[in-house]
Amino acid sequence: MNRPLSSAERSAARRQDWLKGEAEKARESRGEAGQMEFWLRLARSRMAKDVKAGRGDVYPGFALVCRLFITALDQRVEGDGRIWNDLLRYAEQVVTKHPPRN
């Protein structure tokens, strides 16, 4: 038998639904680029909140993720798609297991 969701769990579920809905709206209106822009705006907002909370290491972390992404793109252009494929596979595993919160 399932127990009723707590208010925190309901709030998290509503947030998940909102994120999915907004990402889908962005995709419908502007395609994949619109969805990408939505996630970039969300990431920028979250980074600003982290910096205000005293977690300034978010900037070098994001820079490193961007460098990884560019390296994967460059390697793919050169004919070696292993890093790109590994990056996408890992990213899919992480976001499936840990969907965005708050």
Side-chain angles (χ1 to χ4, degrees):
M1 187 160 158
N2 293 335
R3 65 171 175 73
L5 296 176
S6 70
S7 64
E9 291 168 329
R10 282 191 309 273
S11 178
R14 279 193 300 273
R15 176 69 176 172
Q16 287 288 37
D17 292 341
W18 179 83
L19 286 170
K20 289 176 186 175
E22 290 298 308
E24 188 57 36
K25 280 191 235 174
R27 174 188 257 162
E28 288 171 3
S29 68
R30 301 229 25 246
E32 293 293 330
Q35 189 173 28
M36 176 202 62
E37 290 164 358
F38 167 75
W39 289 112
L40 282 174
R41 282 192 306 277
L42 189 64
R44 185 171 185 243
S45 172
R46 295 269 181 98
M47 288 187 294
K49 289 176 186 176
D50 268 20
V51 168
K52 285 181 183 176
R55 296 182 293 269
D57 63 340
V58 70
Y59 288 137
F62 186 73
L64 192 57
V65 168
C66 289
R67 288 178 54 202
L68 171 61
F69 188 78
I70 290 169
T71 299
L73 289 173
D74 289 345
Q75 290 296 309
R76 185 172 72 160
V77 166
E78 293 174 8
D80 183 1
R82 289 177 298 168
I83 296 173
W84 178 258
N85 293 332
D86 290 347
L87 181 62
L88 292 181
R89 188 172 31 258
Y90 179 67
E92 185 67 36
Q93 289 171 359
V94 170
V95 299
T96 299
K97 188 174 179 181
H98 304 283
R101 295 178 272 171
N102 298 343

